Amino acid sequence: MWTILIAAAAAVQAYLLGSIDTGILVSKYLYHDDVRNHGSGAAGMTNMLRTFGKKAAALTALGDVLKGVVSVCIGRWLFQQLPGGAEFSPYLGVYLAAIFAVIGHLKPLYFGFKGGKGVLVAGGAILAIQPVLIPFLAVIFLACLLPTGMVSLGSVTMAVSYPVLTLLYGLFRGYGTADLVVCVAGACVMAVMVIYMHRSNIRRIREGKEYRFGRHNKKQ
């Protein structure tokens, strides 16, 4: 029973923190507007940058990353309160919190269940779980962004790469079977959510219509 309560608390706190949508708050209180009424309709850093500029994008990025970090840290602490004899992977709490923080960002309770696409929140969660993977993911992102100008392509490629990097890192570090399964499964769930939220971008990429930063785009 205690384990169920701890797991529920980890999930709920992460969802509630994830629901604090930085992009919506910044656009509402600094610009007296709702970023979801512009561009892609998402409340993430990219749409904030396109709509309100660099300052708005920076504030959004900072808030989104922080809520991913904080959610995971709280989830980790909660699972540390379990009795010493509890046979659970220590990664269960952090990935449970990470997944629900991303869900909160995608479907925020406080903002009509319409939020962003979860990339930076997931990035914050990864920073708190496995910071060593961040430089590799950043290189993958830039390798896609710089030649194409497409943030969405970089985001989707990072999402696809994350479970693979998690698996390789776990094998390199000699994780036990239970820890490796939890980490890879958690990484896959996070990746699938991010990719799913980019499904319209993927369609536009295939059609050659996706927005490219630094280049003139035809009105669609």
Side-chain angles (χ1 to χ4, degrees):
M1 183 63 180
W2 184 241
T3 301
I4 294 174
L5 290 175
I6 289 291
V12 170
Q13 64 83 23
Y15 175 73
L16 294 178
L17 281 173
S19 291
I20 303 172
D21 200 301
T22 315
I24 297 174
L25 292 175
V26 169
S27 64
K28 180 178 179 180
Y29 291 105
L30 291 186
Y31 300 94
H32 308 291
D33 200 349
D34 188 334
V35 65
R36 295 174 297 177
N37 295 328
H38 303 276
S40 66
M45 183 196 71
T46 303
N47 203 31
M48 289 291 286
L49 177 61
R50 292 171 59 183
T51 305
F52 299 112
K54 295 179 180 178
K55 177 182 176 182
L59 290 172
T60 300
L62 177 62
D64 287 352
V65 169
L66 279 177
K67 67 186 184 184
V69 170
V70 173
S71 296
V72 166
C73 289
I74 294 175
R76 178 184 289 120
W77 177 82
L78 285 170
F79 267 71
Q80 288 172 349
Q81 310 312 305
L82 287 171
E87 297 181 359
F88 292 100
S89 166
Y91 291 100
L92 184 60
V94 295
Y95 273 103
L96 182 65
I99 289 167
F100 274 87
V102 174
I103 292 173
H105 183 76
L106 304 183
K107 303 294 180 182
L109 175 66
Y110 319 120
F111 301 104
F113 301 99
K114 182 182 178 185
K117 297 185 177 179
V119 176
L120 287 173
V121 182
I126 296 167
L127 182 63
I129 300 170
Q130 295 163 325
V132 69
L133 298 184
I134 293 294
F136 296 97
L137 292 170
V139 168
I140 290 169
F141 177 77
L142 291 174
C144 295
L145 172 66
L146 295 179
T148 67
M150 291 187 287
V151 173
S152 57
L153 179 61
S155 299
V156 170
T157 306
M158 277 198 305
V160 172
S161 304
Y162 176 48
V164 177
L165 291 174
T166 299
L167 174 61
L168 294 176
Y169 180 68
L171 292 173
F172 175 76
R173 290 295 303 273
Y175 283 7
T177 301
D179 289 346
L180 190 61
V181 169
V182 169
C183 289
V184 173
C188 285
V189 172
M190 292 169 64
V192 167
M193 288 192 294
V194 171
I195 293 168
Y196 177 76
M197 293 304 293
H198 283 81
R199 60 195 184 282
S200 61
N201 302 86
I202 294 171
R203 183 179 64 251
R204 288 195 296 270
I205 290 171
R206 294 176 62 183
E207 295 172 350
K209 299 177 180 179
E210 179 65 336
Y211 181 87
R212 297 170 182 254
F213 272 105
R215 307 185 187 186
H216 295 292
N217 293 272
K218 295 179 180 180
K219 299 276 186 183
Q220 301 300 330

